[in-house]
Amino acid sequence: MGRSLLMIPGPIEFEPDVLLAMARKTDSHVAPDFIDCFGRVLRNLREIFRAPNGQPFVVAGSGTLAMEMAAANLIEAGDRVLLLNTGYFGDRYATMLDRYGAEVTQLRAAVGSAPSLDEVEAALDAGAYKAMVVTHVDTSTGVRTDAEALARLARERGILTIFDGVCATAGERFEQAAWGADIYLTASQKAIGVPPGLALLVASERALDAWRRRREPPRSLYLDWAEWLPVMEAYEAGRPSYFGTPPVNLIYALDVSLRHLLDEGMEAVWARHRRLAEAARAAWAALGLRSVAEPGHEANTLSALYYPDGVDSTMLKAVAEAGVILAGGLHPDIKTRYFRVGHMGALRANDVLATIGAVEQGLIAAGAAISAGDGLAAAQRQLATSKR
Ligand SMILES: *Cc1c(COP(=O)(O)O)cnc(C)c1O
């Protein structure tokens, strides 16, 4: 399996120089080289999140920890929160917000869809909410929400927004400052392109103000911005600091990956994700694979696809034998009926074509009535018409 392609919605394929950074000698967390690196990482995150005045936080943990850092610092018992639930990770945020004592109202969309802007607007006007929580791309359905419109609706009403970007950040356009989004959060192992282990979050000035106005400090010391803010500020100012030991090698790797993103340019990175996702979608349509996400809601970072009639998850074994690892279903309502293909990060057209070829082989092995090459031909045609 050494050379198989990992095409799941995280972890993904990582660039060799990112992986090499993981293998370097581990410096002290207060060594001058590491302080330089961490400071650069924080400045670069601001650029990638398009948040020139935002405050980045980088801590050891997974995406769930980034979700929890937002909840722990912004939400107090009794706070009213509107949650737009588009799948599995919306459910997770509901559970989490409940633990923090929030009064959560959920706008729950049918599987594959998202609440309409009219519905959201009506709910925001009716509810006196402190915050709205949105999953930018839900990894269980492949649904992308209209983050720009949602952020603007909330901002006009003075409601804080938390966007879970774990399956979107660096793969889908997000302009935190221009759109007025208060928290954008992600994890290293998805489109950011670094092995699992880092929780990344950028907070707006409004989010920090809301945290400063809390009645009580967050219960969790590890998540408290009061502990981490001086550390982040110190690293950016080139000074040593300590609260919890940072994952030194992961941050060196993050530095490499963020520089790749900025060298390519975020516009180009977002356009590449869209172009490759369109090629993948052309292939799925040509192969008769129906998307879980409804038209207009399909993410550019992954595809969630129903198995054709008579095909089940054993198809994924045949795809793996053809050299490509895909993911099974995650959404509890349809878990056994669909599979997922991640297409994010340092992806090239070749990776997408190899994946489509392997999916064709899997479908044929599972007895589906397709013609080998139909998906590939459709993807090639799509790539030829969408100039880079
Ligand atoms: C992957 C993911 C998470 C959870 O991230 P972990 O690193 O697995 O904790 C949260 N939200 C979304 C949208 C995700 O895709």
Side-chain angles (χ1 to χ4, degrees), residues 62-64 67 89 92 135 137 139 164 166-167 187 189-190:
S62 79
T64 306
M67 293 166 70
F89 288 103
R92 175 169 297 185
T135 310
V137 169
T139 322
D164 172 355
V166 182
C167 200
Q189 78 273 17
K190 303 208 186 176

Side-chain angles (χ1 to χ4, degrees), residues 363-381:
L363 287 169
I364 291 166
I370 63 147
S371 315
D374 280 1
L376 285 165
Q380 294 280 31
R381 276 193 302 274

Side-chain angles (χ1 to χ4, degrees), residues 44-198:
N44 287 344
L45 277 175
R46 262 196 207 97
E47 239 181 278
I48 286 163
F49 284 51
R50 296 268 168 101
N53 301 314
Q55 176 57 53
F57 293 89
V58 175
V59 298
S62 79
T64 306
L65 188 94
M67 293 166 70
E68 189 134 7
M69 181 179 259
N73 284 283
L74 288 189
I75 304 304
E76 293 191 79
D79 285 347
R80 302 200 57 184
V81 178
L82 182 67
L83 173 71
L84 274 53
N85 191 330
T86 48
Y88 181 91
F89 288 103
D91 289 344
R92 175 169 297 185
Y93 234 142
T95 306
M96 194 181 270
L97 290 162
D98 187 58
R99 294 278 178 94
Y100 285 89
E103 280 181 35
V104 181
T105 302
Q106 295 198 48
L107 279 185
R108 193 180 266 277
V111 174
S113 187
S116 74
L117 292 178
D118 287 346
E119 267 178 276
V120 175
E121 192 164 7
L124 288 175
D125 286 339
Y129 294 105
K130 174 176 183 180
M132 177 169 78
V133 174
V134 182
T135 310
H136 190 185
V137 169
D138 194 284
T139 322
S140 70
T141 55
V143 165
R144 183 186 56 225
T145 50
D146 186 348
E148 176 173 7
L150 292 168
R152 290 187 194 281
L153 281 181
R155 180 91 318 279
E156 283 163 11
R157 290 162 178 78
I159 295 166
L160 294 168
T161 47
I162 298 172
F163 285 90
D164 172 355
V166 182
C167 200
T169 310
E172 304 278 4
R173 173 181 297 278
F174 196 89
E175 304 191 37
Q176 189 170 353
W179 300 354
D182 293 301
I183 303 266
Y184 197 41
L185 63 91
T186 190
S188 50
Q189 78 273 17
K190 303 208 186 176
I192 288 283
V194 175
L198 289 174

Side-chain angles (χ1 to χ4, degrees), residues 100-351:
Y100 285 89
E103 280 181 35
V104 181
T105 302
Q106 295 198 48
L107 279 185
R108 193 180 266 277
V111 174
S113 187
S116 74
L117 292 178
D118 287 346
E119 267 178 276
V120 175
E121 192 164 7
L124 288 175
D125 286 339
Y129 294 105
K130 174 176 183 180
M132 177 169 78
V133 174
V134 182
T135 310
H136 190 185
V137 169
D138 194 284
T139 322
S140 70
T141 55
V143 165
R144 183 186 56 225
T145 50
D146 186 348
E148 176 173 7
L150 292 168
R152 290 187 194 281
L153 281 181
R155 180 91 318 279
E156 283 163 11
R157 290 162 178 78
I159 295 166
L160 294 168
T161 47
I162 298 172
F163 285 90
D164 172 355
V166 182
C167 200
T169 310
E172 304 278 4
R173 173 181 297 278
F174 196 89
E175 304 191 37
Q176 189 170 353
W179 300 354
D182 293 301
I183 303 266
Y184 197 41
L185 63 91
T186 190
S188 50
Q189 78 273 17
K190 303 208 186 176
I192 288 283
V194 175
L198 289 174
L200 311 172
L201 180 154
V202 176
S204 71
E205 290 167 313
R206 276 184 305 269
L208 290 175
D209 286 345
W211 161 71
R212 287 192 188 98
R213 286 197 305 269
R214 290 178 64 92
R215 296 185 299 273
E216 290 172 14
R219 283 294 178 89
S220 162
L221 188 71
Y222 186 71
L223 290 172
D224 190 351
W225 284 344
E227 302 299 337
W228 289 114
L229 185 58
V231 174
M232 299 300 138
E233 287 172 343
Y235 276 113
E236 255 199 284
R239 283 186 279 106
S241 183
Y242 170 73
F243 171 58
T245 308
V248 170
N249 288 57
L250 275 169
I251 290 169
Y252 275 126
L254 180 63
D255 185 31
V256 175
S257 192
L258 297 186
R259 271 188 290 175
H260 284 313
L261 289 169
L262 291 175
D263 286 348
E264 185 177 355
M266 292 317 294
E267 291 295 340
V269 170
W270 294 326
R272 176 169 54 78
H273 278 83
R274 191 178 59 242
R275 175 172 181 267
L276 297 178
E278 282 167 355
R281 285 195 282 270
W284 311 145
L287 295 170
L289 293 170
R290 190 162 66 85
S291 162
V292 172
E294 288 168 8
H297 293 298
E298 295 145 308
N300 291 321
T301 48
L302 84 153
S303 298
L305 303 164
Y306 286 107
Y307 295 115
D309 286 344
V311 174
D312 64 18
S313 64
T314 55
M315 172 200 149
L316 299 185
K317 290 203 185 71
V319 177
E321 272 160 32
V324 177
I325 314 291
L326 303 180
L330 180 63
H331 194 293
D333 295 357
I334 53 170
K335 199 171 165 49
T336 59
R337 292 171 44 207
Y338 78 111
F339 65 101
R340 295 173 301 144
V341 183
H343 32 78
M344 66 185 116
L347 202 71
R348 292 162 183 80
N350 272 353
D351 301 317

